mmCIF file of all heavy atoms in Angstrom:
data_model
loop_
_atom_site.group_PDB
_atom_site.id
_atom_site.type_symbol
_atom_site.label_atom_id
_atom_site.label_comp_id
_atom_site.label_asym_id
_atom_site.label_seq_id
_atom_site.Cartn_x
_atom_site.Cartn_y
_atom_site.Cartn_z
ATOM 1 N N ASP A 238 25.079 -3.505 2.844
ATOM 2 C CA ASP A 238 25.066 -4.550 1.827
ATOM 3 C C ASP A 238 24.113 -4.127 0.707
ATOM 4 O O ASP A 238 22.965 -4.544 0.676
ATOM 5 C CB ASP A 238 24.590 -5.848 2.507
ATOM 6 C CG ASP A 238 24.765 -7.034 1.606
ATOM 7 O OD1 ASP A 238 25.412 -6.882 0.541
ATOM 8 O OD2 ASP A 238 24.235 -8.109 1.943
ATOM 9 N N ARG A 239 24.628 -3.297 -0.222
ATOM 10 C CA ARG A 239 23.733 -2.612 -1.162
ATOM 11 C C ARG A 239 23.672 -3.235 -2.552
ATOM 12 O O ARG A 239 22.991 -2.732 -3.429
ATOM 13 C CB ARG A 239 24.146 -1.139 -1.305
ATOM 14 C CG ARG A 239 24.310 -0.426 0.037
ATOM 15 C CD ARG A 239 24.621 1.041 -0.124
ATOM 16 N NE ARG A 239 23.468 1.821 -0.523
ATOM 17 C CZ ARG A 239 22.543 2.288 0.310
ATOM 18 N NH1 ARG A 239 22.646 2.062 1.601
ATOM 19 N NH2 ARG A 239 21.516 2.987 -0.141
ATOM 20 N N GLY A 240 24.421 -4.321 -2.800
ATOM 21 C CA GLY A 240 24.480 -4.891 -4.157
ATOM 22 C C GLY A 240 25.396 -4.061 -5.042
ATOM 23 O O GLY A 240 26.085 -3.163 -4.559
ATOM 24 N N GLN A 241 25.398 -4.359 -6.325
ATOM 25 C CA GLN A 241 26.313 -3.703 -7.265
ATOM 26 C C GLN A 241 25.532 -2.890 -8.280
ATOM 27 O O GLN A 241 24.528 -3.379 -8.805
ATOM 28 C CB GLN A 241 27.101 -4.767 -8.055
ATOM 29 C CG GLN A 241 27.945 -5.703 -7.198
ATOM 30 C CD GLN A 241 29.091 -4.970 -6.545
ATOM 31 O OE1 GLN A 241 29.701 -4.105 -7.156
ATOM 32 N NE2 GLN A 241 29.365 -5.282 -5.282
ATOM 33 N N VAL A 242 26.002 -1.684 -8.598
ATOM 34 C CA VAL A 242 25.343 -0.929 -9.668
ATOM 35 C C VAL A 242 25.629 -1.608 -11.010
ATOM 36 O O VAL A 242 26.651 -2.277 -11.167
ATOM 37 C CB VAL A 242 25.792 0.560 -9.733
ATOM 38 C CG1 VAL A 242 25.375 1.299 -8.472
ATOM 39 C CG2 VAL A 242 27.281 0.679 -9.963
ATOM 40 N N ALA A 243 24.713 -1.442 -11.953
ATOM 41 C CA ALA A 243 24.901 -2.054 -13.283
ATOM 42 C C ALA A 243 26.174 -1.503 -13.888
ATOM 43 O O ALA A 243 26.374 -0.289 -13.920
ATOM 44 C CB ALA A 243 23.707 -1.723 -14.168
ATOM 45 N N SER A 244 27.045 -2.392 -14.366
ATOM 46 C CA SER A 244 28.319 -1.889 -14.896
ATOM 47 C C SER A 244 28.390 -2.012 -16.413
ATOM 48 O O SER A 244 29.247 -1.412 -17.044
ATOM 49 C CB SER A 244 29.483 -2.638 -14.255
ATOM 50 O OG SER A 244 29.295 -4.020 -14.456
ATOM 51 N N TYR A 245 27.472 -2.771 -17.003
ATOM 52 C CA TYR A 245 27.578 -2.993 -18.453
ATOM 53 C C TYR A 245 27.087 -1.785 -19.251
ATOM 54 O O TYR A 245 27.303 -1.705 -20.453
ATOM 55 C CB TYR A 245 26.841 -4.286 -18.852
ATOM 56 C CG TYR A 245 25.334 -4.177 -18.838
ATOM 57 C CD1 TYR A 245 24.619 -4.049 -20.024
ATOM 58 C CD2 TYR A 245 24.623 -4.207 -17.649
ATOM 59 C CE1 TYR A 245 23.240 -3.948 -20.021
ATOM 60 C CE2 TYR A 245 23.248 -4.112 -17.628
ATOM 61 C CZ TYR A 245 22.565 -3.983 -18.813
ATOM 62 O OH TYR A 245 21.195 -3.870 -18.803
ATOM 63 N N ASP A 311 14.810 -17.081 -17.516
ATOM 64 C CA ASP A 311 16.162 -16.776 -18.000
ATOM 65 C C ASP A 311 16.478 -15.305 -17.732
ATOM 66 O O ASP A 311 15.584 -14.504 -17.529
ATOM 67 C CB ASP A 311 16.249 -17.024 -19.521
ATOM 68 C CG ASP A 311 16.554 -18.475 -19.849
ATOM 69 O OD1 ASP A 311 17.307 -19.100 -19.080
ATOM 70 O OD2 ASP A 311 16.031 -18.974 -20.855
ATOM 71 N N PRO A 312 17.775 -14.953 -17.781
ATOM 72 C CA PRO A 312 18.139 -13.539 -17.601
ATOM 73 C C PRO A 312 17.462 -12.620 -18.618
ATOM 74 O O PRO A 312 17.061 -13.071 -19.696
ATOM 75 C CB PRO A 312 19.646 -13.546 -17.801
ATOM 76 C CG PRO A 312 20.076 -14.935 -17.463
ATOM 77 C CD PRO A 312 18.949 -15.822 -17.900
ATOM 78 N N PHE A 313 17.387 -11.335 -18.269
ATOM 79 C CA PHE A 313 16.637 -10.395 -19.112
ATOM 80 C C PHE A 313 17.190 -10.240 -20.523
ATOM 81 O O PHE A 313 16.474 -9.909 -21.445
ATOM 82 C CB PHE A 313 16.534 -9.013 -18.428
ATOM 83 C CG PHE A 313 17.844 -8.321 -18.150
ATOM 84 C CD1 PHE A 313 18.481 -7.587 -19.121
ATOM 85 C CD2 PHE A 313 18.425 -8.408 -16.887
ATOM 86 C CE1 PHE A 313 19.679 -6.943 -18.858
ATOM 87 C CE2 PHE A 313 19.622 -7.769 -16.605
ATOM 88 C CZ PHE A 313 20.255 -7.036 -17.597
ATOM 89 N N ASN A 314 18.496 -10.517 -20.669
ATOM 90 C CA ASN A 314 19.100 -10.312 -21.995
ATOM 91 C C ASN A 314 19.445 -11.631 -22.673
ATOM 92 O O ASN A 314 20.274 -11.678 -23.577
ATOM 93 C CB ASN A 314 20.339 -9.428 -21.866
ATOM 94 C CG ASN A 314 21.358 -10.026 -20.905
ATOM 95 O OD1 ASN A 314 21.133 -11.103 -20.358
ATOM 96 N ND2 ASN A 314 22.461 -9.339 -20.719
ATOM 97 N N HIS A 460 10.311 -9.396 -12.934
ATOM 98 C CA HIS A 460 11.661 -9.448 -12.352
ATOM 99 C C HIS A 460 12.495 -10.555 -13.002
ATOM 100 O O HIS A 460 13.390 -11.123 -12.383
ATOM 101 C CB HIS A 460 11.578 -9.637 -10.837
ATOM 102 C CG HIS A 460 11.216 -8.384 -10.096
ATOM 103 N ND1 HIS A 460 9.959 -7.814 -10.159
ATOM 104 C CD2 HIS A 460 11.952 -7.569 -9.306
ATOM 105 C CE1 HIS A 460 9.963 -6.710 -9.419
ATOM 106 N NE2 HIS A 460 11.144 -6.535 -8.913
ATOM 107 N N TYR A 461 12.144 -10.884 -14.263
ATOM 108 C CA TYR A 461 12.919 -11.877 -15.028
ATOM 109 C C TYR A 461 12.991 -13.207 -14.284
ATOM 110 O O TYR A 461 11.984 -13.654 -13.745
ATOM 111 C CB TYR A 461 14.331 -11.335 -15.354
ATOM 112 C CG TYR A 461 14.276 -9.907 -15.775
ATOM 113 C CD1 TYR A 461 14.754 -8.890 -14.962
ATOM 114 C CD2 TYR A 461 13.656 -9.562 -16.969
ATOM 115 C CE1 TYR A 461 14.654 -7.567 -15.350
ATOM 116 C CE2 TYR A 461 13.554 -8.245 -17.363
ATOM 117 C CZ TYR A 461 14.047 -7.254 -16.540
ATOM 118 O OH TYR A 461 13.938 -5.959 -16.914
ATOM 119 N N ASP A 462 14.218 -13.762 -14.190
ATOM 120 C CA ASP A 462 14.358 -15.044 -13.504
ATOM 121 C C ASP A 462 14.350 -14.872 -11.981
ATOM 122 O O ASP A 462 14.612 -15.826 -11.249
ATOM 123 C CB ASP A 462 15.597 -15.809 -13.983
ATOM 124 C CG ASP A 462 16.834 -14.943 -14.128
ATOM 125 O OD1 ASP A 462 16.701 -13.702 -14.255
ATOM 126 O OD2 ASP A 462 17.942 -15.486 -14.124
ATOM 127 N N GLY A 463 14.009 -13.655 -11.532
ATOM 128 C CA GLY A 463 13.814 -13.439 -10.104
ATOM 129 C C GLY A 463 12.343 -13.176 -9.804
ATOM 130 O O GLY A 463 11.996 -12.767 -8.696
ATOM 131 N N GLU A 466 10.900 -15.376 -6.958
ATOM 132 C CA GLU A 466 11.420 -14.928 -5.662
ATOM 133 C C GLU A 466 10.709 -13.641 -5.199
ATOM 134 O O GLU A 466 10.349 -13.498 -4.039
ATOM 135 C CB GLU A 466 12.935 -14.702 -5.796
ATOM 136 C CG GLU A 466 13.647 -14.309 -4.520
ATOM 137 C CD GLU A 466 13.697 -15.426 -3.479
ATOM 138 O OE1 GLU A 466 13.375 -16.584 -3.793
ATOM 139 O OE2 GLU A 466 14.048 -15.099 -2.320
ATOM 140 N N ARG A 470 8.501 -13.251 -1.896
ATOM 141 C CA ARG A 470 8.884 -12.346 -0.799
ATOM 142 C C ARG A 470 7.935 -11.161 -0.659
ATOM 143 O O ARG A 470 7.637 -10.702 0.431
ATOM 144 C CB ARG A 470 10.299 -11.816 -1.035
ATOM 145 C CG ARG A 470 11.374 -12.846 -0.730
ATOM 146 C CD ARG A 470 12.753 -12.327 -1.086
ATOM 147 N NE ARG A 470 13.080 -11.058 -0.441
ATOM 148 C CZ ARG A 470 14.093 -10.279 -0.807
ATOM 149 N NH1 ARG A 470 14.859 -10.632 -1.815
ATOM 150 N NH2 ARG A 470 14.323 -9.148 -0.177
ATOM 151 N N SER A 477 11.023 -4.195 -12.415
ATOM 152 C CA SER A 477 12.320 -3.642 -12.021
ATOM 153 C C SER A 477 13.065 -3.101 -13.237
ATOM 154 O O SER A 477 12.710 -3.382 -14.379
ATOM 155 C CB SER A 477 13.164 -4.749 -11.387
ATOM 156 O OG SER A 477 13.520 -5.695 -12.377
ATOM 157 N N VAL A 479 17.392 -1.967 -14.407
ATOM 158 C CA VAL A 479 18.782 -2.031 -13.951
ATOM 159 C C VAL A 479 19.311 -0.682 -13.443
ATOM 160 O O VAL A 479 20.446 -0.597 -12.979
ATOM 161 C CB VAL A 479 19.764 -2.603 -15.007
ATOM 162 C CG1 VAL A 479 19.578 -4.085 -15.196
ATOM 163 C CG2 VAL A 479 19.685 -1.855 -16.310
ATOM 164 N N PRO A 498 20.242 2.022 -6.294
ATOM 165 C CA PRO A 498 20.936 1.626 -7.529
ATOM 166 C C PRO A 498 21.638 0.268 -7.496
ATOM 167 O O PRO A 498 21.866 -0.334 -8.532
ATOM 168 C CB PRO A 498 21.973 2.741 -7.729
ATOM 169 C CG PRO A 498 21.510 3.885 -6.893
ATOM 170 C CD PRO A 498 20.751 3.294 -5.745
ATOM 171 N N GLY A 499 21.981 -0.225 -6.293
ATOM 172 C CA GLY A 499 22.692 -1.502 -6.211
ATOM 173 C C GLY A 499 21.773 -2.668 -6.552
ATOM 174 O O GLY A 499 20.639 -2.738 -6.079
ATOM 175 N N LEU A 500 22.277 -3.595 -7.356
ATOM 176 C CA LEU A 500 21.450 -4.706 -7.849
ATOM 177 C C LEU A 500 21.905 -6.039 -7.256
ATOM 178 O O LEU A 500 23.077 -6.200 -6.882
ATOM 179 C CB LEU A 500 21.556 -4.792 -9.376
ATOM 180 C CG LEU A 500 21.319 -3.496 -10.158
ATOM 181 C CD1 LEU A 500 21.564 -3.748 -11.658
ATOM 182 C CD2 LEU A 500 19.907 -2.962 -9.929
ATOM 183 N N ASP A 501 20.984 -7.002 -7.224
ATOM 184 C CA ASP A 501 21.387 -8.368 -6.883
ATOM 185 C C ASP A 501 21.939 -9.033 -8.151
ATOM 186 O O ASP A 501 22.036 -8.407 -9.204
ATOM 187 C CB ASP A 501 20.199 -9.138 -6.270
ATOM 188 C CG ASP A 501 19.023 -9.286 -7.246
ATOM 189 O OD1 ASP A 501 19.225 -9.115 -8.472
ATOM 190 O OD2 ASP A 501 17.899 -9.566 -6.788
ATOM 191 N N LYS A 502 22.265 -10.325 -8.052
ATOM 192 C CA LYS A 502 22.929 -10.990 -9.190
ATOM 193 C C LYS A 502 22.045 -11.055 -10.432
ATOM 194 O O LYS A 502 22.508 -11.137 -11.562
ATOM 195 C CB LYS A 502 23.348 -12.401 -8.778
ATOM 196 C CG LYS A 502 24.523 -12.392 -7.836
ATOM 197 C CD LYS A 502 25.222 -13.750 -7.808
ATOM 198 C CE LYS A 502 26.428 -13.716 -6.897
ATOM 199 N NZ LYS A 502 26.037 -13.587 -5.459
ATOM 200 N N ILE A 503 20.736 -11.033 -10.217
ATOM 201 C CA ILE A 503 19.796 -11.149 -11.336
ATOM 202 C C ILE A 503 19.598 -9.804 -12.036
ATOM 203 O O ILE A 503 19.211 -9.746 -13.202
ATOM 204 C CB ILE A 503 18.464 -11.741 -10.807
ATOM 205 C CG1 ILE A 503 18.702 -13.232 -10.484
ATOM 206 C CG2 ILE A 503 17.324 -11.584 -11.789
ATOM 207 C CD1 ILE A 503 17.572 -13.913 -9.774
ATOM 208 N N GLY A 504 19.898 -8.726 -11.314
ATOM 209 C CA GLY A 504 19.756 -7.396 -11.904
ATOM 210 C C GLY A 504 18.567 -6.626 -11.361
ATOM 211 O O GLY A 504 18.089 -5.672 -11.974
ATOM 212 N N ASN A 505 18.066 -7.062 -10.188
ATOM 213 C CA ASN A 505 16.953 -6.365 -9.540
ATOM 214 C C ASN A 505 17.491 -5.623 -8.308
ATOM 215 O O ASN A 505 18.417 -6.106 -7.652
ATOM 216 C CB ASN A 505 15.880 -7.379 -9.115
ATOM 217 C CG ASN A 505 15.308 -8.141 -10.310
ATOM 218 O OD1 ASN A 505 15.031 -7.545 -11.355
ATOM 219 N ND2 ASN A 505 15.156 -9.447 -10.176
ATOM 220 N N SER A 506 16.902 -4.471 -8.009
ATOM 221 C CA SER A 506 17.387 -3.650 -6.904
ATOM 222 C C SER A 506 17.384 -4.431 -5.594
ATOM 223 O O SER A 506 16.349 -4.938 -5.158
ATOM 224 C CB SER A 506 16.517 -2.405 -6.749
ATOM 225 O OG SER A 506 16.930 -1.675 -5.610
ATOM 226 N N LYS A 507 18.544 -4.519 -4.984
ATOM 227 C CA LYS A 507 18.667 -5.333 -3.775
ATOM 228 C C LYS A 507 17.878 -4.723 -2.601
ATOM 229 O O LYS A 507 17.018 -5.372 -2.015
ATOM 230 C CB LYS A 507 20.140 -5.472 -3.413
ATOM 231 C CG LYS A 507 20.380 -6.388 -2.281
ATOM 232 C CD LYS A 507 21.804 -6.836 -2.206
ATOM 233 C CE LYS A 507 21.879 -7.886 -1.101
ATOM 234 N NZ LYS A 507 23.143 -8.553 -1.033
ATOM 235 N N LEU A 508 18.173 -3.471 -2.287
ATOM 236 C CA LEU A 508 17.483 -2.851 -1.154
ATOM 237 C C LEU A 508 16.040 -2.494 -1.510
ATOM 238 O O LEU A 508 15.168 -2.460 -0.641
ATOM 239 C CB LEU A 508 18.239 -1.603 -0.682
ATOM 240 C CG LEU A 508 19.665 -1.843 -0.183
ATOM 241 C CD1 LEU A 508 20.261 -0.552 0.360
ATOM 242 C CD2 LEU A 508 19.702 -2.938 0.880
ATOM 243 N N SER A 510 13.974 -4.327 -3.258
ATOM 244 C CA SER A 510 13.168 -5.529 -2.992
ATOM 245 C C SER A 510 12.965 -5.700 -1.489
ATOM 246 O O SER A 510 11.852 -6.013 -1.030
ATOM 247 C CB SER A 510 13.851 -6.793 -3.526
ATOM 248 O OG SER A 510 14.281 -6.611 -4.847
#
Side-chain angles (χ1 to χ4, degrees):
D238 190 9
R239 309 184 75 83
Q241 300 292 321
V242 295
S244 55
Y245 74 103
D311 275 325
F313 61 83
N314 57 1
H460 283 70
Y461 318 109
D462 44 339
E466 183 68 11
R470 284 175 55 195
S477 68
V479 288
L500 309 176
D501 62 18
K502 287 199 178 69
I503 288 172
N505 299 317
S506 175
K507 186 162 186 172
L508 299 185
S510 311

